[in-house]
Amino acid sequence: TYCISTSLTPFRQFHGPGILPPPLPQMDAAEPPRPPRRPRRKCVVRECPNRVVQGGRCISHGARRRGCAHPGCPKTVKKAGLCSAHGPARKRCERDGCAKVAVVGGLCIGH
């Protein structure tokens, strides 16, 4: 071990005079470059900046969204063929009195 203090007195008391501590490791100031993001596909309609949803088209240019399988529900599918209102229940925060949706570790963002 070595002492990181500015004074070498504690180090010399432990190791004796004439012995210097090892040099501190050099920290690289530059972070490694991040990999480039995957390019998102754009709508096939000329000059449309929207992202593809289905069949090479965005919602504005004809991509079909699946509807909820619950009878009479006009909402779009979120999971398992059902919308957010009719789909599987979301796990709730484990804190007493909190009704928010759990995000990580059984707790909501606030907890």
Side-chain angles (χ1 to χ4, degrees), residues 8-109:
L8 292 175
T9 305
F11 183 85
R12 286 190 179 133
Q13 287 174 353
F14 183 77
H15 293 285
I19 300 175
L20 294 176
L24 295 175
Q26 295 294 322
M27 300 296 285
D28 188 17
E31 292 183 16
R34 292 182 179 180
R37 289 187 177 191
R38 181 177 60 130
R40 301 290 181 173
R41 290 178 30 204
K42 300 288 183 188
C43 181
V44 294
V45 175
R46 181 177 289 178
E47 297 184 19
C48 179
N50 298 328
R51 291 181 180 175
V52 166
V53 173
Q54 180 191 26
R57 296 180 180 268
C58 66
I59 296 294
S60 301
H61 293 114
R64 291 187 320 227
R65 299 283 280 196
R66 291 188 306 152
C68 179
H70 193 270
C73 182
K75 295 181 179 181
T76 57
V77 167
K78 289 286 187 185
K79 188 174 183 182
L82 299 169
C83 67
S84 57
H86 299 112
R90 302 281 308 268
K91 187 175 178 182
R92 299 293 170 182
C93 180
E94 294 174 354
R95 289 279 173 108
D96 292 334
C98 184
K100 295 179 182 177
V101 175
V103 179
V104 176
L107 299 173
C108 67
I109 292 173

Side-chain angles (χ1 to χ4, degrees), residues 1-5 21-29:
T1 65
Y2 56 91
C3 179
I4 303 180
S5 79
L24 295 175
Q26 295 294 322
M27 300 296 285
D28 188 17

